[in-house]
């Protein structure tokens, strides 16, 4: 959606009474669900991933710092670690992704707990760069135990992410929110998130996927719990699933079919890492299986 999110174009749209890009995306997603089709979003760690996402007809893509790591052969969990400035990485990645798509909406993964940024100022920079929306990533919702308690106690907690989403909504950006428990789901819905994403943990399968995860049936139960919590705060919020054992189209279809409150799927590793691993290995292996014509090569 780079062409639609240029600064002057946004200003002209406001003057003409047209909705800004983030609001248009939210309206399109609601219309799609109302027409009986699920929302399908993906992660784009490279420009090629974004181009493929647009060709495939995805509704939107999210540029996460973890996308850079997973497409470089590292675990997506690296995006939660101090291996780089997450927000700076996303802005840099945007320069690769935004220019290569035509109409595909591009959302920025924003670290809302970043203590080195004035978040309202940074969100305007995100919007001016061409992103039509934001999602809370890296997110502390993936931490538990003492480390989570310490983050909350020292001003780096989930409430900062909720505040980021609320500010983004005020700026007319599209807002998607990762949540991992009912309280988080309720808080994000109340803050105005357009889409609440029930996060089931690191995606399983593949070369750097998680080995420890809940079963698909357990994921369905948890997704339903989070969806109901979100809807208790705002009945019209859209809820989609992500991660853990929901790593392929069959699993996503099963959750959407069996959990009435869920209206779609957001994939990251499942959209770009897993298919890349499979396709490249199969393609490269086909070259290694080329035979030599009889009589050619060494020997008498």
């Amino acid at each position: 959606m780079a062409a639609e999110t240029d600064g002057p174009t946004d200003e002209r749209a406001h003057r003409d009474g047209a909705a800004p890009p983030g609001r248009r995306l939210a309206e399109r997603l609601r219309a799609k669900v109302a027409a009986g089709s699920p929302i399908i979003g993906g992660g784009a760690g490279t420009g090629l991933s974004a181009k493929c996402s647009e060709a495939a007809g995805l509704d939107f893509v999210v540029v996460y710092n973890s996308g850079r790591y997973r497409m470089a052969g590292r675990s997506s969990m690296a995006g939660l670690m101090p291996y780089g400035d997450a927000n700076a990485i996303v802005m840099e990645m945007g320069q690769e992704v935004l220019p290569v798509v035509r109409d595909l909406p591009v959302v920025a993964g924003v670290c809302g707990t970043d203590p080195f940024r004035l978040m309202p100022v940074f969100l305007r920079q995100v919007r001016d760069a061409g992103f039509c929306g934001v999602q809370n990533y890296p997110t502390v919702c993936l931490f538990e135990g003492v480390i989570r308690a310490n983050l909350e106690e020292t001003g780096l907690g989930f409430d900062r992410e909720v505040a980021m989403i609320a500010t983004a909504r005020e700026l007319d950006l599209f807002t998607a929110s990762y949540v991992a428990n009912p309280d988080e789901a309720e808080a994000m819905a109340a803050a105005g998130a357009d889409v609440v994403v029930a996060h089931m943990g690191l995606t399983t399968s593949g070369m750097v996927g998680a080995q420890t995860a809940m079963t698909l049936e357990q994921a369905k139960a948890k997704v339903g719990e989070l969806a109901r919590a979100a809807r208790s705060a705002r009945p019209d919020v859209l809820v989609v699933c992500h991660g853990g054992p929901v790593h392929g189209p069959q699993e996503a279809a099963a959750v959407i079919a069996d959990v009435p409150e869920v209206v779609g799927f957001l994939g990251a590793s499942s959209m770009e890492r897993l298919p890349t691993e499979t396709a490249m290995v199969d393609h490269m292996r086909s070259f290694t299986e080329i035979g030599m014509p009889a009589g050619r090569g060494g020997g008498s």
Side-chain angles (χ1 to χ4, degrees), residues 105-132:
V106 182
V107 175
V110 171
C111 181
T113 59
D114 187 341
F116 295 97
R117 282 176 172 79
L118 296 171
M119 197 50 59
V121 174
F122 180 65
L123 291 174
R124 290 186 178 90
Q125 293 171 348
V126 168
R127 186 182 61 185
D128 291 344
F131 293 100
C132 73

Side-chain angles (χ1 to χ4, degrees), residues 114-191:
D114 187 341
F116 295 97
R117 282 176 172 79
L118 296 171
M119 197 50 59
V121 174
F122 180 65
L123 291 174
R124 290 186 178 90
Q125 293 171 348
V126 168
R127 186 182 61 185
D128 291 344
F131 293 100
C132 73
V134 299
Q135 184 169 3
N136 59 321
Y137 192 89
T139 171
V140 301
C141 83
L142 298 180
F143 290 92
E144 298 177 348
V146 173
I147 189 169
R148 175 65 182 269
N150 290 165
L151 287 168
E152 298 289 346
E153 293 163 355
T154 56
L156 300 174
F158 194 75
D159 61 315
R160 294 282 293 272
E161 297 180 28
V162 174
M164 182 274 289
I165 290 295
T167 301
R169 184 65 181 80
E170 291 171 1
L171 294 172
D172 286 328
L173 287 160
F174 169 77
T175 50
S177 305
Y178 275 137
V179 299
N181 66 48
D183 289 341
E184 293 166 355
E186 186 174 345
M188 282 298 192

Side-chain angles (χ1 to χ4, degrees), residues 2 7 14 22 55 72 93 165 169 171 178 230 242 247 257 269:
H14 281 292
M93 291 172 70
I165 290 295
R169 184 65 181 80
L171 294 172
Y178 275 137
H242 169 88
H247 58 75
S269 291

Side-chain angles (χ1 to χ4, degrees), residues 8-30:
T9 301
D10 271 355
E11 293 173 7
R12 189 160 53 248
H14 281 292
R15 289 198 301 269
D16 295 342
R23 294 301 89 216
R24 294 203 296 272
L25 173 57
E27 291 165 6
R28 285 202 299 273
L29 296 182
R30 290 189 176 281

Side-chain angles (χ1 to χ4, degrees), residues 182-269:
D183 289 341
E184 293 166 355
E186 186 174 345
M188 282 298 192
D194 294 301
V195 175
V196 166
V197 185
H199 202 308
M200 297 296 102
L202 183 65
T203 301
T204 59
S205 189
M207 296 178 179
V208 291
Q211 301 299 315
T212 303
M214 64 185 73
T215 66
L216 185 60
E217 291 305 312
Q218 290 171 330
K220 290 177 185 178
K222 184 173 181 182
V223 168
E225 180 186 21
L226 300 187
R228 289 187 290 275
R231 289 192 170 191
S232 72
R234 207 177 83 244
D236 67 341
V237 67
L238 301 172
V239 180
V240 303
C241 56
H242 169 88
V246 192
H247 58 75
Q250 292 182 332
E251 292 77 15
V255 175
I256 293 168
D258 294 345
V259 185
E261 301 89 352
V262 172
V263 296
F265 171 72
L266 172 62
S269 291

